[in-house]
Amino acid sequence: MDKLIHKSVRLSCSPEQAFQFFTRSEHLASWLTNAAEVEPAVGGKYELFWAPDDRENDSTIGCKVLALEENRLLVFEWKGTKQFASLMNEARPLTHVVVSFIPEGEGTNIQLVHNGWGCTEEWDAARGWFEQAWNMALAGLAKYADAQPVAKCCE
């Protein structure tokens, strides 16, 4: 069994609103990346750009949504940053991220699993880097979510 990254965060918003934070480009560009092109449908784009002027590097260009159950589950492919591009971006299948949106009281428990890691020292280094990156990303998500008005309905 390959190693995986498992993270969770509780947000004070509905699963519908939490789901939008992962599926709407404008939200993603506010807490996770600098620019995003996401098509929330199976087979749709899940492309995030940390350096929008250099779209081929430090991006998830070419990544797709693999599974989607609105407001409950999102699965998408993932690529590595520049230092891990030759390892992660050439692997088939790519690593992928599974995000579950679980209602919890007045909020949502987000469960994130990033898997598909290989079994070499280079893969361990990449996984370690992303372990920390997801910690920072989810902390940023919680801060972003807290600053948003609570949605009264799905917009």
Side-chain angles (χ1 to χ4, degrees):
M1 176 179 241
D2 68 354
K3 301 170 185 179
L4 41 93
I5 295 171
H6 180 219
K7 302 291 178 186
S8 63
V9 65
R10 188 181 185 291
L11 303 181
S12 298
C13 65
S14 67
E16 293 82 7
Q17 192 169 15
F19 186 79
Q20 290 178 10
F21 294 155
F22 280 85
T23 57
R24 288 205 174 164
S25 298
E26 65 273 17
H27 286 303
L28 286 159
S30 296
W31 70 268
L32 180 59
T33 188
N34 294 317
E37 293 178 16
V38 173
E39 299 167 347
V42 174
K45 291 181 185 180
Y46 205 87
E47 298 181 346
L48 310 181
F49 305 94
W50 285 266
D53 293 337
D54 182 12
R55 295 169 67 86
E56 295 296 320
N57 292 300
D58 287 334
S59 74
T60 62
I61 195 164
C63 288
K64 303 283 184 201
V65 173
L66 301 175
L68 182 142
E69 187 177 339
E70 195 164 338
N71 307 324
R72 294 176 187 234
L73 177 75
L74 176 65
V75 183
F76 48 89
E77 296 172 314
W78 196 260
K79 288 186 174 180
T81 58
K82 265 188 211 177
Q83 70 264 39
F84 304 115
S86 64
L87 177 72
M88 292 179 67
N89 301 0
E90 303 305 318
R92 293 295 177 263
L94 294 169
T95 67
H96 60 279
V97 178
V98 178
V99 185
S100 300
F101 303 85
I102 304 162
E104 187 176 274
E106 294 294 313
T108 303
N109 181 340
I110 304 285
Q111 295 290 318
L112 182 145
V113 175
H114 187 168
N115 61 9
W117 304 99
C119 296
T120 66
E121 286 184 22
E122 293 86 3
W123 278 104
D124 287 346
R127 189 176 58 77
W129 192 94
F130 277 99
E131 182 92 31
Q132 294 307 310
W134 283 119
N135 285 339
M136 292 187 304
L138 293 181
L141 171 60
K143 185 176 178 181
Y144 177 72
D146 285 346
Q148 301 305 302
V150 175
K152 299 298 180 204
C153 65
C154 300
E155 298 174 10

